[in-house]
Amino acid sequence: MERRRFFKFGAVGLGLSLLKPTSLMAAESKSKDEDQGIEPIILSTWNHGIAANQKAWETIAKNGLAIDAVEQGVKVTEADVSNRSVGIGGMPDRDGHVTLDACIMDHQSRCGAVAYLEGIAHPISVARAVMDHTQHVMLVGAGAKQFALDRQFKTIKTPLPEVKKEYEKWKKENAAKFEKPVINHENHDTIGMIAMDRHGNLSGACTTSGWAYKMPGRVGDSPIIGAGLFVDNEVGAACATGLGEAIIRIAGSSTVVELMRHGKTPQEACEEAVRRIIAKHQDLTGLQCAFLAINKKGEVGAYSVYEGFNFAKTTVKGTDLVDAGFNRKW
Ligand code: SD4
C-alpha cells in the first residue's frame, strides 16, 4: 500500500441499556479500560476522510469514546458544502430531491439509522438520536424527518443552488437515461468511518447522499446495518463504499466482520468480500465497491473491485492517505 503522510498530531442487557445514551456508559466503563496500552486508530473512506479523522481524533485524544469520535468526524463531511456525495452539498435524485442516508453503531451493538431523509443538515446525528432515544433502529422518510424536527435538528434547503444548477443541466442532457443512472466514481463518495478508542471500544458511522440521480425512493447500503457498516466489539468493524446494491447483496460489512471472526485478517476479509461481489455479478461495468476494516488488534484491511479506492488512517503518529489494494484496473 502506498502511503502519503498528511498531518501529525501531538501525543495526545439489551432492553433498558439500549435506551441509555452511550455518553453515560462511558464514565462507567472508562477507568477499567484505561492505561492498558491500547493504540487508538481511526479509518475512513476516501480523501474527505482526512479532515473527518482529524476532527474525530480530538475526541479520541481526550480519552473519549469511539462512538462520539465517529459522529463528530463524519459531521465534518456532512457539513462540507463542496462535497457532492455526502450531506448538505449532496446530489439529488432524478426528481431533484436530496435524500440522505446514515447509520451509526457502537461497541455494545447499539445502532441507529435514517434513510431517505430530506432537508436535515446532519443525518448522522439523527441516526445517533434514533439509537439513543428510541427503541428502534431505523427511521425513514417523513417519519425520520418528523423525528428530527421534533428534536430541533438543524434544517437546510436542498439542493444547494449550485447543485440545483448542475442537476438542471444533467436533466436536460440525460433525459433518456433516467432508468439507469451512472455512478460517478470520480466523485469521492460516501464516508464510512470506523474507530477504536483508548478503551479498546470499536464504533462506526456511515453517511451519504447516495447514488447521484438515483430513482426516487432508492436507498443504498449506507444506512443499512450489516451492509454499509457493521461493528462487533469482540471481533472488529467494517464499512463499505461504492455501488450499494452490490454491497447489500452480500451483506457486505457484516460479511467482512464474520470473516474476521472466523480467523481472517482484516485484509483477507475485505478481499474475500470483494471476490464474493465479483462472483455474484456477471457484468462488472462501473461496479466499484470497496471495504475498509479493523480488528481488535488494530490491524487494518482495505480492498476494492477497481483501482482508485483510498482511505484516511489516523493513529498517534498522524494521518496517512492510503491507497487500497484492488482486484482490477478500470
Ligand atoms: C450508495 N454506497 O448509496 C452508497 C454510495 C457510495 O461510492 O458509497 N458510493 O450506494
Side-chain angles (χ1 to χ4, degrees):
M1 287 184 187
E2 186 188 312
R3 283 152 189 252
R4 279 167 268 162
R5 179 58 48 84
F6 271 76
F7 302 104
K8 275 194 186 287
F9 298 99
V12 277
L14 221 55
L16 278 179
S17 72
L18 268 176
L19 299 174
K20 202 167 172 186
T22 316
S23 47
L24 294 180
M25 292 170 180
E28 291 165 14
S29 64
K30 219 174 194 171
S31 53
K32 146 166 90 68
D33 296 323
E34 258 172 10
D35 300 321
Q36 288 182 359
I38 291 162
E39 289 187 13
I41 181 166
I42 305 168
L43 305 177
S44 63
T45 56
W46 305 111
N47 63 5
H48 52 206
I50 293 167
N53 279 18
Q54 257 195 310
K55 182 69 188 171
W57 189 261
E58 290 174 14
T59 300
I60 296 287
K62 285 186 265 182
N63 285 334
L65 283 179
I67 187 68
D68 296 321
V70 295
E71 180 189 357
Q72 292 308 315
V74 303
K75 278 176 81 171
V76 170
T77 324
E78 286 183 341
D80 178 359
V81 290
S82 69
N83 191 310
R84 293 285 168 269
S85 48
V86 178
I88 59 182
M91 298 298 280
D93 65 16
R94 66 180 188 176
D95 286 355
H97 296 277
V98 179
T99 61
L100 303 177
D101 301 333
C103 74
I104 193 159
M105 188 164 193
D106 79 359
H107 58 286
Q108 296 182 316
S109 295
R110 300 164 69 250
C111 45
V114 289
Y116 206 66
L117 178 62
E118 208 176 342
I120 300 290
H122 285 296
I124 197 65
S125 296
V126 185
R128 174 81 189 258
V130 172
M131 174 176 107
D132 282 343
H133 303 295
T134 79
Q135 291 176 309
H136 307 304
V137 165
M138 190 173 206
L139 295 178
V140 306
K145 174 100 180 242
Q146 193 54 54
F147 174 75
L149 293 176
D150 289 348
R151 300 195 73 85
Q152 273 89 49
F153 275 96
K154 188 178 155 203
T155 57
I156 181 96
K157 190 166 164 28
T158 54
L160 300 179
E162 57 273 34
V163 177
K164 194 165 179 193
K165 231 165 126 185
E166 279 179 59
Y167 164 71
E168 297 294 354
K169 184 168 175 274
W170 173 86
K171 201 172 158 186
K172 236 176 164 170
E173 290 168 359
N174 294 276
K177 289 191 197 157
F178 269 13
E179 286 306 322
K180 201 169 187 237
V182 177
I183 197 158
N184 178 5
H185 55 82
E186 298 306 319
N187 242 354
H188 274 187
D189 294 339
T190 297
I191 183 154
M193 180 181 283
I194 47 182
M196 182 159 64
D197 61 31
R198 290 190 190 278
H199 320 292
N201 296 318
L202 294 166
S203 292
C206 189
T207 178
T208 191
S209 54
W211 194 347
Y213 312 131
K214 59 199 175 186
M215 287 181 73
R218 181 266 186 188
V219 171
D221 61 306
S222 303
I224 297 177
I225 296 294
L229 175 72
F230 197 67
V231 177
D232 185 325
N233 206 46
E234 288 172 27
V235 178
C239 60
T241 179
L243 188 61
E245 284 73 3
I247 295 163
I248 292 170
R249 234 164 248 142
I250 66 146
S253 295
S254 167
T255 291
V256 171
V257 172
E258 288 311 299
L259 288 164
M260 291 193 285
R261 190 192 306 281
H262 290 99
K264 300 266 191 220
T265 65
Q267 186 60 32
E268 289 166 347
C270 291
E271 290 182 17
E272 172 58 27
V274 163
R275 266 197 296 275
R276 220 173 270 189
I277 284 179
I278 291 170
K280 302 281 178 203
H281 294 85
Q282 283 175 346
D283 182 5
L284 293 173
T285 314
L287 201 162
Q288 174 65 316
C289 289
F291 294 100
L292 186 55
I294 41 176
N295 64 13
K296 284 297 274 188
K297 292 188 233 163
E299 294 169 334
V300 174
Y303 200 69
S304 55
V305 176
Y306 287 101
E307 183 178 23
F309 173 54
N310 54 21
F311 64 95
K313 175 183 166 188
T314 301
T315 64
V316 288
K317 293 183 193 141
T319 296
D320 294 325
L321 186 65
V322 183
D323 289 328
F326 54 89
N327 182 274
R328 62 195 61 209
K329 288 183 182 263
W330 286 99

